[in-house]
Amino acid sequence: MVRRSVLFSPGNKPDLMRKAAESEADVVVFDLEDAVAPADKQAAREAVREVLAEVDSEREICVRVNPIGTSAAADLEAILQGTPPDSLLLPKTESAADVRTVDRLLAEHDVELPVLSLIESAAGVLRADAIAAADATAALLFGAEDLAADIGATRTSEGTEVLYARERTVLAASAAGIDAIDIVYTDYTDTDGLREETAFAAQLGYDGKMAIHPDQVPVINDAFTPSDEDIEWAERVLDARDRTAAGVFEVDGEMIDAPLIAQAERILERAGQST
């Protein structure tokens, strides 16, 4: 399953949720947490349950519940009375125990769902490897804004204040063999800035990026979709590998070894998933 773009839509806005489900985002998240005021939570749960029953989308439909220890149980009690989503997004994940707790809550409703764990606190960053290794965790997402608030950092356009945490998150996801999803780019009108930051996320090793507006989705999808040139290079590498018994060989004047073979395999895997 490819998760290049993860688009959030407020859980108390049924029309926006339906519109998001028709977008080109790989994952659409109906948000019961930050996008919904406390007084509107119950109405949002009912709206999410109704839209889940209505939508017939090729997208991965996900619901962001509230954190463990607040109202995650109430969220699940409401939305799982009807059609379940394809996955669950757990905000402020701080330990593998948080993942196990939400997995247990799901089991109480006879439902098993992949959990997308959002890392957005100092505790979550330091335990990212254990969170990634939890059985139910299918992806790690990195939330820079909440992390900066948690540690008292000042957010800058350069992002150096969260770079270590951003890199640690992608390393933990990679070690566990799961997806890593990068931070939100908050200025949805700045297409050039989004393109530059998404390219940097791809260089870091991220598999996708969160979005807060449908207009961001095409830029993100493009950045995480291999180019024709990359695909052709990968095909030449794997073809050459299949025609030699050598551990190291040459393609287009470049020495190819095991890491570059793995890179070529990943490019073709991504290309196949993105079509």
Side-chain angles (χ1 to χ4, degrees):
M1 177 179 295
V2 64
R3 295 187 176 103
R4 297 167 300 176
S5 49
V6 178
L7 175 63
F8 286 76
S9 187
N12 58 342
K13 301 289 181 63
D15 288 345
L16 292 182
M17 286 190 284
R18 294 185 188 99
K19 182 178 179 181
E22 296 174 355
S23 74
E24 293 302 312
D26 293 324
V27 184
V28 173
V29 181
F30 299 160
D31 190 4
L32 291 173
E33 194 213 10
D34 286 348
V36 180
D40 296 331
K41 296 288 187 185
Q42 186 55 37
R45 293 175 186 128
E46 294 170 3
V48 167
R49 185 175 66 242
E50 291 174 3
V51 175
L52 283 172
E54 294 173 10
V55 295
D56 182 15
S57 175
E58 296 179 357
R59 312 300 152 212
E60 177 183 348
I61 304 298
C62 180
V63 173
R64 173 159 71 169
V65 296
N66 286 276
I68 296 296
T70 57
S71 56
D75 294 337
L76 293 174
E77 178 68 30
I79 66 172
L80 294 178
Q81 291 178 22
T83 304
D86 298 313
S87 57
L88 204 70
L89 196 156
L90 182 62
K92 299 176 176 63
T93 310
E94 296 197 330
S95 68
D98 287 346
V99 181
R100 290 193 293 269
T101 297
V102 78
D103 200 32
R104 175 180 55 78
L105 291 172
L106 288 167
E108 290 175 0
H109 296 275
D110 294 321
V111 174
E112 183 177 347
L113 295 175
V115 176
L116 314 184
S117 296
L118 183 53
I119 306 298
E120 49 187 341
S121 68
V125 170
L126 293 178
R127 299 172 186 148
D129 52 347
I131 294 168
D135 289 343
T137 303
L140 291 187
L141 297 82
F142 177 55
E145 309 306 324
D146 282 274
L147 175 65
D150 185 48
I151 65 177
T154 300
R155 286 290 280 130
T156 65
S157 57
E158 294 82 9
T160 53
E161 69 284 353
V162 296
L163 182 57
Y164 165 76
R166 198 176 181 186
E167 293 176 328
R168 185 179 175 102
T169 299
V170 75
L171 285 171
S174 179
I178 62 175
D179 290 333
I181 311 299
D182 191 44
I183 58 180
V184 167
Y185 190 76
T186 55
D187 186 355
Y188 63 85
T189 64
D190 181 10
T191 300
D192 291 338
L194 172 63
R195 184 175 292 108
E196 181 178 349
E197 184 176 273
T198 307
F200 179 63
Q203 289 174 357
L204 289 179
Y206 276 90
D207 301 288
K209 190 171 182 65
M210 292 181 276
I212 56 173
H213 193 281
D215 288 350
Q216 294 180 312
V217 169
V219 176
I220 293 172
N221 282 350
D222 182 64
F224 289 104
T225 300
S227 67
D228 291 343
E229 180 179 310
D230 287 340
I231 293 171
E232 291 169 1
W233 172 83
E235 289 174 338
R236 290 196 299 274
V237 167
L238 297 187
D239 180 63
R241 177 203 61 186
D242 293 342
R243 289 186 287 104
T244 182
V248 179
F249 52 90
E250 182 180 329
V251 172
D252 301 336
E254 178 183 22
M255 296 307 297
I256 304 296
D257 56 7
L260 289 178
I261 291 172
Q263 181 181 344
E265 290 173 335
R266 187 177 185 188
I267 286 172
L268 292 186
E269 181 183 3
R270 282 187 172 184
Q273 289 178 332
S274 302
T275 55

